[in-house]
Amino acid sequence: MATPTTQPGLFLEAYRRMLLLRRFELKAQELYRRGEMPGFIHLYVGEEAVAVGVCLHLSREDYVTSTHRGHGHALAKGISAREVMAELFGKATGCSGGRGGSMHLYAPDVGFLGTNGLVGAGIPVAAGAGLAAQLRRSGQVAVAFFGDGAANHGAFHEGLNLAGVWNLPVVFVCENNLYATQTPLRMATKNQDISSRAAAYGMPGAAVDGNDVEAVSAAAAEALARARSGGGPSLLECRTYRFLGHHEGDPGTGYRSREEVEAWKKRCPIALERARLIERAEAAETALQDIEREVEEMIAGAVEFALASPLPDAAEALRHVFPEAAGSAEAVWAR
Amino acid sequence: MGALAGRAAAREITFVEATVEALREEMRRDPAIFYMGEGIGARGGNFTQTKGLYDEFGPERVRDTPISELGFTAAGVGAAMAGMHPVADLMFADFIAEAMSQVVHQAAKVHYISGGRIEVPLIVRAAFGVVRSAGAHHSGSLYPWFMHVPGLKVAVPSSPADAKGLWKTALRERCPVMIFEHKGLYNQKGPVPEGEYLTPFGQAAIARAGRDATIAATALMVHKSLQAASILEGEGISVEVLDLRTLVPLDEESILKSVARTGRLVIADEAHETCGVGAEIAARVAARGFDFLDAPIARVSMLQAPHPFSPPLEAALLPSPEKIAAAVRAAVRGEEAHAG
């Protein structure tokens, strides 16, 4: 169990961020269902404690690679709700200028190296970002978020093996939500204790309750401190659950029993943390309500911004295949 | 060739030495450049392609990897996104297949799908081509795969001087660059200027001027085409040999200009024929240079089978000076091609 208040106000901030992730996703779902949004979206509802618990301990300069279910990571790492929402609508003001969409969110200004359409692909890419940090001795760390499905991909093995042998400042965060699309973990691997695989790569592994933001925070803080101090990589398995289907449009029930889904919903990470903050008198009810109002306003502002933003100019569809004049891209790190 | 015009008495070094020289100069210039691959550290690489770099730059920047092509190519992608300029040496070009998703879906696409916000200046180095019956997994010429993918540049040097100049240009590009080097060229010697020069991408070089037919060629096939041109010279046929040097960007203008002069085009390339270099060039010339043509465009490429082991089988499928000469002869005389 995590010790409360390692830093004053840390978990109030965690609550605020988790609520932002939740409200953002539910609003995206609503807009998607109205047919206003192109493409596909994979929502993060239920898993908020993982992205937030880890990103609480990252600075703007640290790197994150993410997954197809990545809106939560993008927001937790610091891309504005406006830029993410605009990108979901394919608008020119989106964080990827409308060329990416939900599965290709990028923001070098906050070290966000992409959500990803290929399962597992971000794992060894994070190792590379960690290698860059190590070579520059910059003190930066890299975090790879990925699901239980990715843990069975070769990219997991190669990424963790490289990070291990090179002692890279990387934390590998597995969001084990028990299903890879529709395939339950028990049908995908014999050893379902994903954290135990860390031993194979000579790094510490830990498993925590991924619906408990304080538990995630404590474990992530420890792994990140180790990475920053030259202690090398870690594998952190966060056991969690997605409350919704694999993607918007999948009811998520054909392969999961209603009882199972309802039991997990009772363990909502946001409700859990809200109750704790009240119980420990770390926040007054009115303060929490203020946060809730503030989040609603931020989401409303994001939607308004996204809807009012222009679509990209079709005449520019061939732009950015190759870099333009030197200095036009943002430096992720000053050379 | 082009880069050497007007330079007197350059010393001669091998192709592979020229690439190491380019790397050494660029690594001294830019601390963001580092090199990853299997056995490229103290050992200096399978083909001596990093000889001496480890001693000068040490194990961090000249970094031996496990046999993990996906992993270290991806690490190159991540490091490049994070501001470094890595070289991922895949050793044999065939091994790129192990890292394909990272090259095609990550390296090539990130700049575009990030709206131009992130650059991926990654170099992928690969030794390609047939030498001494290396068989089906060590002989491939896979660069046409990457011509198909938007966002990658592809270089195929043919001479030591261009190898150095193209490498130096590649290490100053800000996009992913695939450098394919024919294994049969590594130990060939040629004049290479000392010190600083860059060979531009997207500019073919006229390796030999001629009037009756153009051979557009890549890498080792430039040399085979020059041999073909010598054979044909004895028959009164004057051949122009165009060294493409880079496939992306492709110097379409120089090809068209040459065909406008000669009226005939043969493409000589060691990769498989279908959807290959020749197919792309033929389509472009047919679209923009149809009126220049006095004969059908011909391709001399690896025939459509995996690389066999046994020497006579291998030779039966490969382009040769005789086959290239036969294709040119047929174009000039309006006959079916018969290789000698």
Side-chain angles (χ1 to χ4, degrees), chain B residues 8-334:
Chain B
R11 84 247 131 101
E12 295 220 337
I13 57 174
T14 65
F15 184 108
V16 73
E17 286 165 350
T19 69
V20 174
E21 188 167 285
L23 274 158
R24 185 182 299 113
E25 289 176 13
E26 292 301 301
M27 289 179 78
R28 285 176 183 168
R29 180 187 63 79
D30 184 355
I33 298 171
F34 70 101
Y35 197 108
M36 291 184 283
E38 296 155 12
I40 56 76
R43 182 184 171 217
N46 229 22
F47 311 106
T48 67
Q49 76 273 32
T50 54
K51 192 177 172 188
L53 296 180
Y54 180 90
D55 292 336
E56 177 166 352
F57 300 104
E60 285 202 328
R61 291 182 71 194
V62 183
R63 181 171 286 259
D64 277 315
T65 69
I67 299 172
S68 187
E69 288 85 1
L70 185 170
F72 74 77
T73 303
V77 172
M81 290 172 79
M84 304 298 285
H85 204 143
V87 179
D89 184 338
L90 273 293
M91 198 187 303
F92 287 88
D94 311 73
F95 304 165
I96 293 179
E98 305 294 318
M100 199 65 178
S101 182
Q102 287 290 331
V103 173
V104 168
H105 291 309
Q106 310 298 330
K109 292 180 182 174
V110 162
H111 185 67
Y112 184 82
I113 62 181
S114 70
R117 297 180 76 188
I118 296 182
E119 295 176 348
V120 189
L122 167 70
I123 307 250
V124 174
R125 181 180 203 176
F128 79 94
V130 168
V131 282
R132 294 185 291 124
S133 287
H137 293 166
H138 295 77
S139 299
S141 303
L142 304 180
Y143 39 84
W145 292 0
F146 303 98
M147 294 172 71
H148 187 72
V149 178
L152 302 173
K153 293 191 178 178
V154 181
V156 280
S158 73
S159 70
D162 280 352
K164 179 176 172 184
L166 291 170
W167 260 100
K168 286 176 71 81
T169 301
L171 286 162
R172 298 175 192 209
E173 287 280 345
R174 290 149 50 227
C175 62
V177 178
M178 317 286 293
I179 302 182
F180 285 88
E181 298 164 338
H182 199 293
K183 298 187 283 281
L185 291 175
Y186 273 144
N187 292 320
Q188 287 202 7
K189 276 194 167 183
V192 176
E194 292 185 61
E196 190 71 8
Y197 68 93
L198 303 172
T199 303
F201 279 17
Q203 284 186 21
I206 296 174
R208 174 188 172 123
R211 294 181 312 275
D212 301 325
T214 300
I215 305 173
T218 55
L220 183 64
M221 286 302 131
V222 172
H223 303 272
K224 305 270 185 206
S225 298
L226 289 169
Q227 291 171 30
S230 295
I231 296 170
L232 292 163
E233 189 178 25
E235 302 171 19
I237 298 172
S238 164
V239 174
E240 179 145 303
V241 177
L242 209 54
D243 176 359
L244 297 172
R245 302 204 285 195
T246 59
L247 296 170
V248 182
L250 183 66
D251 187 358
E252 195 173 313
E253 295 308 315
S254 291
I255 298 168
L256 285 165
K257 276 184 196 157
S258 179
V259 175
R261 285 193 296 272
T262 64
R264 296 173 187 88
L265 176 62
V266 172
I267 301 118
D269 181 62
E270 196 180 310
H272 281 113
E273 187 163 89
T274 303
C275 296
V277 174
E280 178 61 27
I281 292 174
R284 295 203 201 186
V285 171
R288 289 186 61 204
F290 190 73
D291 291 343
F292 304 146
L293 292 167
D294 296 326
I297 298 169
R299 292 179 284 170
V300 185
S301 312
M302 173 76 186
L303 299 183
Q304 210 64 18
H307 290 85
F309 173 68
S310 189
L313 297 177
E314 189 179 71
L317 301 178
L318 267 182
S320 64
E322 292 73 25
K323 289 179 190 176
I324 298 167
V328 173
R329 205 177 284 124
V332 171
R333 297 183 185 157

Side-chain angles (χ1 to χ4, degrees), chain A residues 6 52 54 88 100 102 104 111 140 149 164-165 181 273-274 305 315 328:
Chain A
T6 35
V52 169
V54 174
L88 300 191
S102 168
H104 311 289
Q140 293 164 290
V165 74
T181 309
E273 193 55 25
R274 195 182 200 284
F305 173 79
S328 61

Side-chain angles (χ1 to χ4, degrees), chain A residues 86-101 312, chain B residues 112-115:
Chain A
E87 189 61 33
L88 300 191
F89 278 93
K91 296 299 184 79
T93 56
C95 59
S96 306
R99 281 169 169 73
Chain B
Y112 184 82
I113 62 181
S114 70

Side-chain angles (χ1 to χ4, degrees), chain A residues 246-260:
Chain A
H246 168 66
H247 58 88
E248 194 42 45
D250 163 30
T253 48
Y255 49 95
R256 309 188 300 186
S257 71
R258 272 181 208 291
E259 295 71 31
E260 180 181 298

